[in-house]
Every structure is written in C-alpha cells, then in structure tokens.
Amino acid sequence: LGKAKIAELQAALELGRRCLSEAKQIKGKVESSQDIFAFLLPQMRDLTREIFQVVMLNGQNEILEVVTASEGSLTESPVYPRDIMQLANRHHAAAVILAHNHPSGHPKPSTTDKAITRELVFAGRIMRVRVLDHLILGDEAYFSFADAGLIAEYERAFDRRRP
C-alpha cells in the first residue's frame, strides 16, 4: 500500500472509532463498570500504546469530561497522583473513574496497576475526590477494581491509617 492509501485507511478507522464512541455516550448517571467499558472501548480497543484516561464525574455521577492523563509505551503509561488530582480539581470533579488499556489484550492488573490505584484512592480521600473505579481494558474484556472489591479494600486501608 502507498502512503496515501495508508493515511486514508487510518483516517477511516479513526472516523469509525469516533462514531462508535459518540453512539455509546452515557446519558445521565454512570451506573456500572459495564457502562464505562462500553463507553471507552471504541476509543481504546485498537491502541498500540498504553493510554491512561480519567473520567470526571459530578456529584450525581454524570460525566463532565474524559481526559487523557498519560500516553505511554507498549507496556506502561506513567501516572502521578498529584497530576490526576490536579485534573480533577481543574474540572470540578466530585469523583473520578480511572481507565487504561493493555495493548496485549489481557486486562489482568499488574502489581504496578494495583499500587498506583491504591495511591490514587488515598490521594482522592485526602483531596475529597472519590475514586469510584479503575478499569483495565483488553480485547473485548475488562478488569474492574471496584467489582473485584479492591477500591473498597484500599478505602478501608486508608481509614485504618488515620488517627
């Protein structure tokens, strides 16, 4: 294929991705991890690099904005709690849902994924911005930290640390 045809195909794929994500807009309140997965999958399914996104929510769990916080490599996307909390404050978010993709297609969380999620839950508790979930998207599948009970576990760990 020539450069022009490759560019044309890439443009068509991007247009299709955008159309799918627009079709999957969440109306009203975010109810479940499945809602967020269906909303983000069209944008993130074919990416070859890790992308870390933050879904900003108001007090009624309605989406205010979706922000790409980090674009990384094939195997990682660096994230810093202070940056995520600054984004949440800038967007006046009452809560956030974190999401990133695994280009390998396997949504199993790494030790690093668990550690950063724990740090973000702690930072959110301090800043009064609830971290409702962290989704890892793979090929047509996802892992939800909330569904697995890990968000609640990290919140309890934070509460045990406070005097």
Side-chain angles (χ1 to χ4, degrees), residues 56-60 64 88 91-96 128-131:
M56 309 291 174
L57 303 168
N58 67 17
Q60 287 74 44
L64 298 170
H91 291 276
H92 307 288
V96 296
R128 305 230 189 272
V129 175
R130 294 260 342 253
V131 174

Side-chain angles (χ1 to χ4, degrees), residues 31-153:
E31 300 283 345
S32 68
S33 60
Q34 179 61 40
D35 287 347
I36 293 296
F37 174 68
F39 175 69
L40 293 176
L41 184 65
Q43 308 166 48
M44 299 179 74
R45 82 163 42 131
D46 298 321
L47 299 174
T48 57
R49 300 169 61 190
E50 276 199 18
I51 304 294
F52 195 97
Q53 294 194 320
V54 184
V55 180
M56 309 291 174
L57 303 168
N58 67 17
Q60 287 74 44
N61 290 350
E62 297 168 331
I63 296 177
L64 298 170
E65 189 75 37
V66 179
V67 178
T68 298
S70 175
E71 294 185 33
S73 67
L74 179 64
T75 58
E76 66 182 357
S77 185
V79 176
Y80 304 99
R82 73 174 172 268
D83 295 337
I84 302 301
M85 290 302 123
Q86 283 176 345
L87 283 171
N89 284 331
R90 193 174 309 130
H91 291 276
H92 307 288
V96 296
I97 296 175
L98 314 166
H100 78 278
N101 64 312
H102 278 180
S104 68
H106 303 289
K108 182 179 177 188
S110 68
T111 302
T112 303
D113 292 335
K114 291 178 182 177
I116 193 64
T117 304
R118 186 175 194 269
E119 288 177 19
L120 285 161
V121 168
F122 280 33
R125 291 295 292 266
I126 291 167
M127 299 296 295
R128 305 230 189 272
V129 175
R130 294 260 342 253
V131 174
L132 299 180
D133 204 349
H134 180 178
L135 270 64
I136 302 173
L137 287 77
D139 291 336
E140 304 297 328
Y142 69 98
F143 177 87
S144 163
F145 279 76
D147 293 351
L150 293 172
I151 298 293
E153 178 183 317

Side-chain angles (χ1 to χ4, degrees), residues 1-12:
L1 295 174
K3 289 182 182 180
K5 186 52 91 176
I6 290 172
E8 190 178 314
L9 289 171
Q10 287 175 328

